[in-house]
Every structure is written in C-alpha cells, then in structure tokens.
Amino acid sequence: MKKGSMKTVLQFFILLCMIQAASFGQTIKLSGVIWDEEGQPLEGVVIADSLGHVLSQSTQNGIFSLEIQPNQQICFRKPGYIDTCLAYSDSKDQNRIVLRLKSTQMNAVIVSGQGMRIKSLESTKVGVTEIRVDSIRQLPTLTGEVDPLKILQLTPGVGKFDLSSGLLVRGSTIDQNLVIFDEGMIYNPTHLAGFISMFNPYVVEKITLIKTGLPVDYGGRTSSMLLAESGKNPSSNRIEGNVGLLLSNVAVHRSLGNRCWSTVAFRRSYIDYTLKPFSKQFFPNSRSFFQSSSYNFYDGNFIVNYRLTQQDNIILSTYLGSDNFTLNRTAFELKYDMEWNNKMASMQWTHYFNARHISKTSAYFTKSNLRLFIGQSNFNYRLISTNEDYSIKHEHRFYINRFKIKIGGQYLQQWVIPNRSAAVLNELQANFGTPNEYHLSTLSGYAESEIAFSNRFLVSVGIRENVYTHLGPYSQFVRSADTRVITDTLYYPYGSVVKKFNTLDLQLLLRYKIDSLSALKLNVGRNNQFVQQVNVTTVALPTDFWLPASHQVPPLVAQQMSIGYYRNWYSNINLSVEMYYKWFNPVIEFDKGLLQSLSKATMEENILLGKGRSYGIELYVEGSLERWAGWISYTLSRSERVFAEINQGRPFPSKYDRLHDLTVVLMRSINFHWKGSLTFTYASGQATTLPVGRYLVGGNIVNQYTAYNGFRMPPYHRLDIAFSRILKSYRGMNHELVFSIYNVYSRLNPYFMYYKVSGDLKRYKLTVTPQYVALFPMMPSISYRFSY
Amino acid sequence: MRTYLKYWTIAIIAGLILWGCEPAYDSKMFTIDKKIVVDGWIENGRSAIVMLTYNTPYFGNLDSASFRQLVATRAKVSVTDGVNTEILTLTKDTNYFPPYVYKGYSLIGEVGKTYALIVEDELDTVIAVTSILPPVQLDSIWFESTSDSSGIIKCILDDNPTEKNYYRIFTRIQGKEHRFYPALVANLNDRFFNGQRFTFYINKGRTNNILPIENIYFPKKDTIIVRFTTMDELAFEYWRTYDEELLNAGNPFAANHLSIPSNIQNGLGIWCGYGASYYRVIPR
C-alpha cells in the first residue's frame, strides 16, 4: 500500500472512531407518564434494559425519566401487566406509555414484586415497609380475614402485641403514629381494642409504613406514618368477599361509565351468635359472663375514583366504623354500654399540568367518638370523648431533570373533647369540674427538594413550619401556690388565643448507591406533635383520650437519626440493615389511674412531663425462590423513659420496650390447588411493675411494688399456619377455602399478671400465687373467600 | 359516687379478664428492705391505738410461725402532743388483727391538736405526725330497706364551702362486730359537692380483702353504729390510695401499681388523726 493512502485510511479510521466515541458518549433523555388502559397513572413501573438490569421506575403519579443510549431497548414492566418494550433513537419527553393488564390469576404466587426491591435502592426513603395486600392474602389470620395491620407487626421495627389499638413503631406509643387512609386521617384504626384493624383487605390495596418520622408533606405526629391506599386500578367489575366464623366481608367494585370507578364494601362481626352457643360448653360453671355480654362491630367503605378530564383525577373516599359492647347483669341491676365509632371522608384531586408539573389538592373530615354509659339501680354515669378534624391541603410537585420539588400548605381545624363525664345519683348531679373542650387550628407550609447530584448520590431536604393555636372558649383555673386551692378562673372567649406555638419540622435524607445492587442511606429528622394520647390504664383502650398542647402540656418534639444498608441479589433476595436513635421531649404520663384523677380540677393537671428515647437495629431479609417466598425480620431495641415523679426520677423501660423481636414468614405454593403459609414470632417479655413485698394495715394485706416497670414477663412466642385450597372455578367465580390456625402449640402468652390471695388471716394461713392472664389459646378458623 | 363507679367498673372488667386462661408460673423470690409498718390512729375523746408489724417478701406462703415473726412486740411506742407524752402499753386484743395492740390511756385526743408518734424498735426508729381536725355533723341519717331483711343507710350532709373536707366512713354492727370497718365506699372528698347539701348511701364494707365480698347490706334486725370521721389531706390520700389498691390490684384496666404514700418517715403504713362523730342507726 502507498504510504499516503495508509495515512488517509488511518485518518478516516480515527475519524470514524471519534464519531463512534462521540456517539457512545451521547445519551438520550426520555421522560413521560405511564398509564393503564383506564387512564390511571401507574406507579412502580420498572424500566429495565434487555439484560434485565433495572434502570429506573415510575413515581407515584406515573412519571418517569431516565437517560439511556440511543437505540438501546428498554422494557416497561409491572407485575400484573404485559411488558412493553421500545427503543428510542433520540431524546423525547412527554412520552405516553400505556400498559395493558394481564388477566388476574388468584393462584399465582405473588410476593414481593420487583417494585418493592427497586424502591428500596432508588429512593431516599429509609425505614419504609410497603405491603401490597394481594401478596399477603394467604397468610394465617386470627379472625379468618387477612389484616394488613397485623401483617405489619411481622415486619421489623413494629411491636407485636396481642391487643393494641394501633401501631407501635420503634419504641413509640400508639398516638405518635399518623394513620392516613386515602389522604384522610384516622384517629383509631382498630376495632375491639386491636383485635382487628379497620383496613378491609378488599378495599385497601397498599400499605406503606414510614418508620423514620414524617415526611414534610404530613405533620402532627412524631414517630411514623402509615399510608393506606385503596385500589386505584380495579381491573374489572367484580364482587369479592370472605365468609368466616367471626365476621363476614363483601366488597363490590364497579365501573360507573367509562371514566369512573366505585368500590362499596361492608363488614360485620357476629361473634355473639357464633361464640355464645359454644361458651356454655367451655364455661359450664362460670357465672356466665358471656351470656350477659355482647360485642359486635361493623364497618363500611364507599370510594369513587373519577377521571374528570385527561389531566384531572378525583378520588372520594369515605369510611364508617362502629363498635359496641354491652353488659347486662340483672342480678346487680347493672347495665354497661360502651360504643365507639370512627368516621372519615376524604377527597383528592390530582391535576397534571404536564409531565413535569402536577398539583394535588386534598381535604378530609375525620371524627372519632366514644360513648360510655354505666347504670346501677338509680346511679348513672356517662362519659364521652370526641375528636373531630377538618383539613385542607394543596401542593405542587415539579420534576425537572435531576430535581424534584414539592411545595404546599395545609390548614387543619380540630375540636377535641378529651373526657366529659356526668354522674347522677337519684337527684344529685356530681360536679366534675368545668368540662373542657379544645378548639385548635394549625396552619402549615412545607417545601421539599430532592436533588440527584450524580447517579450515585441523591439528597432530599424538607422543611415544614407549623403555627398551632389553641383558641377559646376555654377556662383555665388559677391555683394559689401554697394551699393549691383554686383562687381564680381565667375565661377565654370564643376565638381568642389561649396559647400559640410556632414549630419547625425538618427532614434530611441522603442516599449513596454503592453499585447497582446496593445502597447506603442516612436520615435525620425532627417532628412536632400537638395532640397526644393519654394512657389512663395499663393497656391501650378506646377510653384513652387525646389531650392537646396548651399551657400545661407543651408540644411533643421528637428527633431521630437512622442509617441503613440495602443489598439486592439477582436471585430475588433483598437484605436491609437499619439502625436508629430517637429521642422525645416531653412525653406525657397520666398521674395515677383515670378514676383517681377526679380530685384535680382539669385533666391537664393530672399530667406528668418527662423524656424518652429509643434506639435499635433492624435486620430484614426477604426473597422468593421457585415456589417459596417469605421473610425474616429481627429487631434489637430499647425504649426508655425518665420522669421526675416516677421511680424516683430514675430511667425506666417504657411499657412497650422489648429487647428481641423476631419474625419468620414463609409462603409456599404446594401445587395447583393448595397453598400454605406459616408465621413464627418471638419477642422478649414486656416490662411491668410487680409487687415485691406485703404488709398488714387495717386488717388487710397490701402490696409494696418494684421499681416502675422493673419486672420482665416471660417471652412471647407463637406459631401460626394456614392452608388455602382453591376450589373449582364456577361460571367465572373464583373461590377458595382457607384453613388457619392461630397459635398452633397454644402457648398461653401472658398478657397481664395478677395474684390470687387465698387463706384466712384469722387462722394465720395465707397463700399468694401469681396468676397470668393470657388472651388467645389455639384458635382455628375456616373462611370462604370468593371473587366474582 | 365515683367510687361506686370505680367499684362496678372494676368488678365488670375483672370479670372480663378472668375468663382468660391462666398458665402456670414458677415464682421468684425478691429481696426487700425490712421496714416497720405502723397502723395507728388517735381520735377526739379517745386515746391512741397503734399496731406494729414488719413487711414481708411477696411470694410464698405464710403460716402461724412466720406470722408471729411479723408482729413487732418489743418496740417503745410513744405519742406526744408537744406538751404531754405517753408511752403506749402492749396489750392482747383479739378484736384487731394482729391481736397485739399498743394502747394509750392517759393522752386523750383533742380537736385542733397535732400528735407525733415515735416508734423505737430494734430494727429502726420511725416518726410520724398527724392532727385531729374538727368533726363534722351529719344533718340526718336513717335506714332504708332494700329487701325484707336488709337495707342501706342514707345520710344527708351539709358541706362547709370554705373548708376542704375529707371524710371516711366506718360502720359496726352492734353485738356482732367488735371493731369498726370501713364502708363499701368509705372515702369522700368534698371537691365534688363543696358547699352543697349532699345525700349519700352507706353500704356495708368488706371485713378483709382476702375473703370475697359477702354482703353489702346491713341486716334489719341489728343496730348499726356509724362513725363519720374527718382527716387531713395526707391521711386521706393514704386511705384513698389504699382502697384503690385493694380494689384494683389485679385489674389491668385500672391498676397503676404505685406504692401507697405513707406518712410514716422511714417506714410504711399510716398514723391518722380522726375527728369523729358517732351515730346509732336502728332500722325499723
């Protein structure tokens, strides 16, 4: 070859390489919104390359954006939908991708979908547990019906207690957790003091628990947030339900025109009718407590999902739940009636300006009400406790390249009657002091910004300012310092300011992606809470009332730090390790029992203020392999309190402190007809105060107690199993029978301890033996589930 | 009235938990500091009465031998009003339990005075102070039948609006009982009826907290003596917490497990001054 032509070829080759190199360096940008066939945005859609490596996922409003190579094939995937694969040669935004549904199969083993795995790596969220109700339907149950709240107790950081009327997260008390259902707040998310939750498994599609404090677009609580959402994408008109031994449940999903969907659901218990006839068998010699008492509950949901225009979507969600307990002992002329109910109505309106700008307006009304009546011959006692809230919120979200910005404001109006009593003995009306009710208003503004500094490093900063005002009418007693006798009453008229607090909530999150399969995250935050629940008994009951911040009770401030490490393996196994440290100030305790409080003029005067802290480490492994799926969760934690007036000012473990908490959940698809599942839980014993000594006064034996919560009860452990048998489809109706056994080896986990004293002092014989009360022995159940 | 409520609420709720299952438990021994327990009082027109015992670890059995060890019979017990002092004499009196009582004879309680109790024992020395408040008279008191053979006692009280009054009610069935027992709902705090004309019932209380509640009504054929007393706030707090503890211990819905606030320095128990007025009720 001639030297000159070699040089030309070389130059040409280099030029070609350079062009190639230049085009290799070039990436194209894609963004848009992913919809389903009904025009609803789809979140959690995974965007993967041809090798299955995940590149991105769609956000809550169906928005996605990513950078890829030109002509690289990418696939849009979501469980239950048919994959859509495309290749782009050039940058394009405003893409509109529509995914079509696969036909649903009830007998598929669906566990942690890919969506869950990717979320934990991509997002900045630390301490988030997400449960899709579909994936947990086959787990063992207590009542025959799967309960999302009970399943949450099987995940790390969530305390497991047989009867607790709410969530206990990372050493918190029940009132420190915000429960939101369809953007509406719920005060009491359980029935029968925690036996079953308000979440109907045929209405609620997804539950997300954020354990590291509240994100700034929500406020008013300090520990965690539970976000429950109803199904946004119903696949077709259907009726589904569950018929069990203790309760039944029916949900109807129907389209009303081609842009509107509705869900109507109703549940009711009939424990009285099924258990009462059996109670005679089990308690033949008892004083028939069962015969004279009755308990039932019902709840209902009505949800409408309306796509007003291509850019507007409205969801209306309503909930009503009611519990009733009565006791009638004619021998003593005693009548006891306790009724509590929860109502909620919410509206959400999402407006899509374009693929980069969305606004969301939501409003809710929630009311929680307790009514107690005790009558004995001519003595009557009534108690009411009410909470009523109205809220409106408006926010804008912007998605601009590496930035995600959220700005919004919320106005909340609350009316609280903590505890209003009235007692009448013949003609005389007892004077319980001025009943107080509270009128509160909270105005908040927030802003959150998420910045992707690089592909690896993501930072999110959020800030929320709250202005909380306690308004009149309100009466405040002034006591003289020495005699403690009330000398004056300050009266605040309607609308005047009794007390005002101006607080700041902060959230800082950092995510560092070590490689495509593992990430490290850090979260630091601070939240304020204005209304706290006062626990007047040693167990959580609906009689525990809410007390707002005012002169005597300041707002609760909680600060927390958590750090987490997350790792995924291709064979569908995920691991997460999280450590947290929280501290709260002030926490409140009620001074002595409820019934002793009546010597003080107002409820607030019975409150003691102290400090608390909790810290721990959570390990979590989940995965699915062929026909097996499940998870293991282990938490090691401590939760402490310090009060000057309790335990001589020395720190003591909180009521919910449990050192070890282990759960193992396994699910298996045995064959085409049968599925099985198993859960095993183990937790350290609860702390309680125990008598250590006795002495004689007034001819009676009286107790001397340990340090406050100075004794540990025996550990709690239990095994549950369930089997479901898919029955032959009949005319398009899918149905199955579920057999479940709660507490298979019938361990009588102690719930409370008391002591039986027997003997006769006069004969110098006395025996005291400790007795435990356990709640649930082995409880089998059968239920029939259908979907048509 | 609220103690009625308390009583019934607890009774119901105790029933609620008692049908739960009860597993076995292996007991543990706790070590406690041994302390002197004082159960003593003085009232207007009468001399002091004091019973002394020691506390004991919680679990286990007690029989006659170990009981005897619990009673402090070698202490020097003195009562003083600041001017006069009397050393009480140990006597055996089977009307009380334990039947060893330190009794006074010369120092008689007077309204308005403060009395200090000093106990010098081989274990320790304890001191307590109380005062006798003026007794309050009931406006009227009478018996009301609830059945053919029994009934309750009804009272009307005109409460003084300028004072904070704390009342405790005792009854004794003449001929059948040899000491006063607190009524079923024994403690009244005038906070709920300050300055009002207050009507209340007296039901028969328990003789001790080990035996189940026998009968809350008084028999028609017997005469009942009612001892209506006043006391200071510290003593009232003691008795109120004491009654709560007797009722609530064992009830998860009400028990708060706080030891009873004693007014005995360095010890346990109560030294109480009563301003007492007596009434004889003869059912007809």
Side-chain angles (χ1 to χ4, degrees), chain A residues 283 289-290 325 327 332 334 336 374 376 378-379 381 423-434 479 483-485 536-539 541 591-602 646 688-706 708 711-712 714 748-775 777, chain B residues 1-2 4-10 12-13 15-25 27-28 30-33 35 37-39 51 53-64 67-68 94 96-100 154 164 179 181 189 191-193 196-201 207-211 217 233 237-242 244-246 248-260 268-270:
Chain A
F283 307 99
F289 173 79
F290 248 137
F325 174 75
L327 176 68
F332 291 109
L334 177 70
Y336 184 97
I374 300 180
Q376 201 254 319
N378 42 14
F379 169 72
Y381 176 78
V424 176
L425 177 62
N426 286 337
E427 325 79 35
L428 184 73
Q429 189 104 6
N431 177 11
F432 285 102
T434 314
R479 286 182 185 264
T483 64
R484 302 296 300 153
V485 172
V536 298
T537 59
T538 55
V539 299
L541 277 186
D591 190 11
K592 307 190 178 63
L594 168 69
L595 305 166
Q596 294 143 297
S597 71
L598 306 175
S599 62
K600 301 261 164 71
T602 55
I646 300 177
T688 188
T689 315
L690 205 65
V692 277
R694 317 176 242 159
Y695 57 94
L696 256 176
V697 167
N700 291 313
I701 303 275
V702 192
N703 300 326
Q704 225 187 319
Y705 291 96
T706 56
Y708 197 76
F711 176 74
R712 286 281 160 182
L748 299 168
N749 286 304
Y751 174 62
F752 182 74
M753 206 179 103
Y754 72 105
Y755 9 86
K756 202 151 71 175
V757 180
S758 59
D760 187 356
L761 270 186
K762 298 258 166 75
R763 285 198 222 110
Y764 298 98
K765 261 195 127 44
L766 190 72
T767 309
V768 179
T769 43
Q771 302 284 334
Y772 282 117
V773 173
L775 285 171
Chain B
M1 207 167 335
R2 68 199 179 287
Y4 258 108
L5 144 72
K6 267 182 263 186
Y7 169 73
W8 289 117
T9 316
I10 277 86
I12 297 149
I13 293 168
L16 184 88
I17 58 161
L18 285 175
W19 67 268
C21 316
E22 299 167 15
Y25 170 76
S27 64
K28 290 182 179 131
F30 291 88
T31 50
I32 49 158
D33 293 333
K35 288 203 167 154
V37 181
V38 174
D39 183 4
M51 286 178 277
T53 52
Y54 300 111
N55 60 348
T56 169
Y58 193 74
F59 294 111
N61 300 333
L62 272 183
D63 56 23
S64 52
F67 249 128
R68 183 64 190 81
T94 48
Y96 295 99
F97 189 82
Y100 299 97
K154 256 183 135 169
K164 274 207 306 182
R179 55 164 268 228
Y181 293 97
N189 182 345
R191 151 141 171 56
F192 295 98
F193 49 84
Q196 288 182 38
R197 192 174 175 78
F198 181 59
T199 309
F200 59 95
Y201 299 145
T207 43
N208 69 61
N209 68 333
I210 300 170
L211 301 175
Y217 302 103
E233 190 172 0
E237 267 308 298
Y238 182 87
W239 289 117
R240 193 186 56 75
T241 316
Y242 170 88
E244 293 284 349
E245 176 59 30
L246 290 183
N248 296 352
N251 186 339
F253 302 103
N256 51 305
H257 301 310
L258 293 176
S259 294
I260 305 170
L268 297 164
I270 180 79

Side-chain angles (χ1 to χ4, degrees), chain A residues 20-164:
Chain A
Q20 281 249 316
S23 63
F24 269 137
Q26 240 169 29
T27 55
I28 56 171
K29 293 192 176 119
L30 293 175
S31 65
V33 185
I34 307 175
W35 309 89
D36 69 0
E37 289 165 291
E38 309 301 326
Q40 300 283 8
L42 285 176
E43 68 159 313
V45 175
V46 162
I47 306 165
D49 68 8
S50 46
L51 293 171
H53 299 158
V54 173
L55 305 171
S56 183
Q57 62 160 11
S58 64
T59 68
Q60 205 183 350
N61 295 301
I63 297 178
F64 72 93
S65 74
L66 72 161
E67 282 187 38
I68 51 165
Q69 300 296 323
N71 298 313
Q72 177 185 13
Q73 188 182 65
I74 51 170
C75 289
F76 295 86
R77 288 197 195 128
K78 188 177 161 95
Y81 292 85
I82 300 171
D83 292 352
T84 301
C85 296
L86 300 162
Y88 292 82
S89 51
D90 230 334
S91 288
K92 186 172 178 212
D93 63 5
Q94 308 276 18
N95 278 299
R96 198 188 147 84
I97 313 282
V98 179
L99 290 189
R100 281 164 44 225
L101 247 131
K102 279 188 208 173
S103 55
T104 47
Q105 304 158 62
M106 252 174 81
N107 49 2
V109 177
I110 311 163
V111 190
S112 47
Q114 292 204 331
M116 213 196 288
R117 162 160 82 148
I118 301 316
K119 263 203 166 78
S120 65
L121 281 191
E122 295 292 324
S123 77
T124 48
K125 301 259 178 286
V126 185
V128 176
T129 303
E130 199 180 276
I131 292 186
R132 292 201 172 256
V133 179
D134 266 340
S135 64
I136 49 142
R137 278 194 208 285
Q138 62 186 111
L139 287 180
T141 68
L142 176 57
T143 55
E145 172 152 298
V146 71
D147 186 348
L149 206 67
K150 285 258 177 291
I151 304 298
L152 262 183
Q153 291 186 344
L154 301 173
T155 61
V158 183
K160 44 182 71 66
F161 295 89
D162 273 337
L163 266 197
S164 80

Side-chain angles (χ1 to χ4, degrees), chain A residues 364-590:
Chain A
Y364 70 80
F365 156 75
T366 184
K367 183 165 178 170
S368 162
N369 206 353
L370 166 75
R371 254 181 276 143
L372 176 65
F373 169 78
I374 300 180
Q376 201 254 319
S377 56
N378 42 14
F379 169 72
N380 285 340
Y381 176 78
R382 270 170 219 280
L383 172 80
I384 61 166
S385 182
T386 306
N387 290 283
E388 196 172 299
D389 290 9
Y390 297 86
S391 153
I392 184 157
K393 184 161 103 166
H394 182 68
E395 83 180 20
H396 287 258
R397 297 184 195 182
F398 301 92
Y399 301 87
I400 306 165
N401 294 336
R402 291 162 183 249
F403 284 85
K404 285 183 198 167
I405 298 174
K406 211 191 280 185
I407 299 178
Q410 180 177 14
Y411 176 71
L412 174 67
Q413 190 167 303
Q414 294 172 288
W415 178 47
V416 183
I417 301 179
N419 185 318
R420 178 184 285 170
S421 328
V424 176
L425 177 62
N426 286 337
E427 325 79 35
L428 184 73
Q429 189 104 6
N431 177 11
F432 285 102
T434 314
N436 259 328
E437 45 184 87
Y438 297 82
H439 300 268
L440 316 165
S441 93
T442 312
L443 183 64
S444 315
Y446 59 89
E448 183 183 276
S449 173
E450 192 179 287
I451 309 158
F453 283 105
S454 68
N455 274 340
R456 288 182 190 265
F457 194 51
L458 192 65
V459 175
S460 169
V461 181
I463 190 167
R464 182 187 175 101
E465 166 106 11
N466 305 294
V467 178
Y468 164 91
T469 317
H470 174 197
L471 299 160
Y474 184 70
S475 303
Q476 195 188 331
F477 292 111
V478 177
R479 286 182 185 264
S480 83
D482 39 342
T483 64
R484 302 296 300 153
V485 172
I486 297 168
T487 53
D488 201 4
T489 306
L490 278 175
Y491 180 70
Y492 296 89
Y494 179 84
S496 61
V497 174
V498 179
K499 188 80 187 169
K500 202 170 192 170
F501 292 102
N502 202 320
T503 65
L504 203 65
D505 291 352
L506 297 164
Q507 284 288 329
L508 170 70
L509 297 113
L510 298 158
R511 182 213 77 197
Y512 180 73
K513 237 165 74 167
I514 302 169
D515 53 41
S516 66
L517 293 169
S518 57
L520 201 62
K521 289 193 243 182
L522 172 72
N523 163 273
V524 174
R526 175 199 162 99
N527 280 112
N528 286 277
Q529 180 165 345
F530 302 106
V531 188
Q532 292 189 63
Q533 200 171 26
V534 178
N535 201 217
V536 298
T537 59
T538 55
V539 299
L541 277 186
T543 48
D544 299 339
F545 54 85
W546 293 86
L547 197 66
S550 190
H551 287 283
Q552 270 140 324
V553 184
L556 167 65
V557 183
Q559 276 145 157
Q560 49 183 309
M561 291 189 318
S562 21
I563 184 164
Y565 170 72
Y566 307 87
R567 178 106 167 77
N568 295 339
W569 280 274
Y570 281 122
S571 48
N572 252 354
I573 296 180
N574 313 327
L575 162 76
S576 81
V577 181
E578 284 181 15
M579 291 198 298
Y580 66 89
Y581 189 91
K582 302 205 291 199
W583 57 111
F584 322 84
N585 187 3
V587 275
I588 61 179
E589 280 274 349
F590 206 63

Side-chain angles (χ1 to χ4, degrees), chain A residues 109-291:
Chain A
V109 177
I110 311 163
V111 190
S112 47
Q114 292 204 331
M116 213 196 288
R117 162 160 82 148
I118 301 316
K119 263 203 166 78
S120 65
L121 281 191
E122 295 292 324
S123 77
T124 48
K125 301 259 178 286
V126 185
V128 176
T129 303
E130 199 180 276
I131 292 186
R132 292 201 172 256
V133 179
D134 266 340
S135 64
I136 49 142
R137 278 194 208 285
Q138 62 186 111
L139 287 180
T141 68
L142 176 57
T143 55
E145 172 152 298
V146 71
D147 186 348
L149 206 67
K150 285 258 177 291
I151 304 298
L152 262 183
Q153 291 186 344
L154 301 173
T155 61
V158 183
K160 44 182 71 66
F161 295 89
D162 273 337
L163 266 197
S164 80
S165 59
L167 272 182
L168 298 158
V169 179
R170 290 189 172 176
S172 76
T173 48
I174 288 170
D175 63 321
Q176 291 168 355
N177 303 302
L178 183 66
V179 179
I180 299 265
F181 176 56
D182 280 350
E183 295 299 322
M185 193 273 239
I186 303 274
Y187 269 101
N188 184 7
T190 62
H191 293 289
L192 188 51
F195 194 66
I196 187 170
S197 76
M198 63 161 277
F199 301 115
N200 186 331
Y202 296 109
V203 171
V204 175
E205 180 185 68
K206 187 171 92 164
I207 280 197
T208 309
L209 178 69
I210 302 174
K211 297 177 279 191
T212 51
L214 270 60
V216 294
D217 45 341
Y218 295 90
R221 298 286 184 270
T222 48
S223 202
S224 75
M225 180 166 92
L226 177 74
L227 247 178
E229 292 166 73
S230 58
K232 298 228 168 49
N233 306 303
S235 54
S236 57
N237 291 340
R238 70 180 186 281
I239 301 177
E240 51 189 1
N242 175 35
V243 178
L245 289 178
L246 303 176
L247 60 106
S248 283
N249 182 358
V250 165
V252 178
H253 305 276
R254 230 192 125 66
S255 71
L256 311 165
N258 74 358
R259 290 192 300 183
C260 184
W261 285 99
S262 74
T263 299
V264 180
F266 184 74
R267 288 198 294 193
R268 199 200 189 279
S269 73
Y270 32 77
I271 295 171
D272 298 346
Y273 303 103
T274 45
L275 283 190
K276 264 197 190 156
F278 290 103
S279 72
K280 279 205 184 111
Q281 307 267 70
F282 291 115
F283 307 99
N285 304 316
S286 83
R287 297 222 291 175
S288 65
F289 173 79
F290 248 137
Q291 306 306 321

